[in-house]
Amino acid sequence: MKFFTDIKEGLSDVQNMLFEKNWNPFIRPLVLLLIVFVGVWYINGVANSKVLEAQRKVDAKKAEEESAKEYEDSKALYDQLVKQLPDYSKKDEWLLSQMLSFFNKVGVEPSRTGKHMLDEDGDFTHSSVTFDFELTYEQLGKLIEMVENNEQFMRLSNLTVSRAEGALGRLQAGFRVHTLFLKNKNDARKPAK
């Protein structure tokens, strides 16, 4: 009980001082409290900035490591893809001869061969040829598999398939075959400076 009585008397004394506008007893503790507050705020700010700077450095190092790994993975994938590109010196006849070989393996004679298109863009040359032919479902499946699973890079586009007129189980089909040639594969493997 004495504790509550002392608090009550202290609050009464504070109230009397405020009514009398006697601020002197409050100035010293408030200034001291303000100094302590500013000191804690400053020390906390310095510590936080050091922690944030250390965190930024850690994050930058992680990003650098991830970028280096991503670069190495991309470089390895690029090197692997470059190995799959056909020889540039044979760009004029390679795609056509490759496709005629595939047609021969599945026992199909193309009824029409489109114009061989070459389009140069920087170090790469895009080559494509269109074919029209008549064949069975099985032959079409084998032909697509040969093109898409070839060791050298080849892709199909514009595949059209319809039932052949008057021939049960036969299809009239056509597609465009694409590949890329790299002018100088040795330069492609050199790291960029």
Side-chain angles (χ1 to χ4, degrees), residues 178-192:
H178 306 266
T179 193
L180 289 175
F181 296 94
L182 182 61
K183 287 183 183 173
N184 193 346
K185 286 186 181 183
N186 295 328
D187 287 345
R189 290 193 180 97
K190 292 179 183 175

Side-chain angles (χ1 to χ4, degrees), residues 94-114 129-136 138-147 154 156-157 159-160 170-177:
W94 183 84
L95 185 59
L96 188 58
S97 66
Q98 193 76 13
M99 285 307 300
L100 291 176
S101 167
F102 291 164
F103 281 119
N104 190 32
K105 286 179 183 175
V106 296
V108 173
E109 177 93 17
S111 58
R112 187 174 72 87
T113 302
V129 180
T130 57
F131 297 95
D132 290 320
F133 41 88
E134 189 176 304
L135 72 175
T136 65
E138 183 181 356
Q139 289 170 320
L140 179 61
K142 285 180 182 178
L143 190 59
I144 291 172
E145 179 185 8
M146 289 172 137
V147 172
M154 296 173 74
L156 292 177
S157 70
L159 176 64
T160 60
R170 302 233 1 122
L171 304 171
Q172 186 65 40
F175 55 61
R176 178 172 283 281
V177 181

Side-chain angles (χ1 to χ4, degrees), residues 29-46:
L30 286 175
V31 169
L32 187 59
L33 184 62
L34 183 63
I35 290 171
V36 168
F37 177 74
V38 169
V40 168
W41 175 78
Y42 177 75
I43 290 170
N44 191 34
V46 169

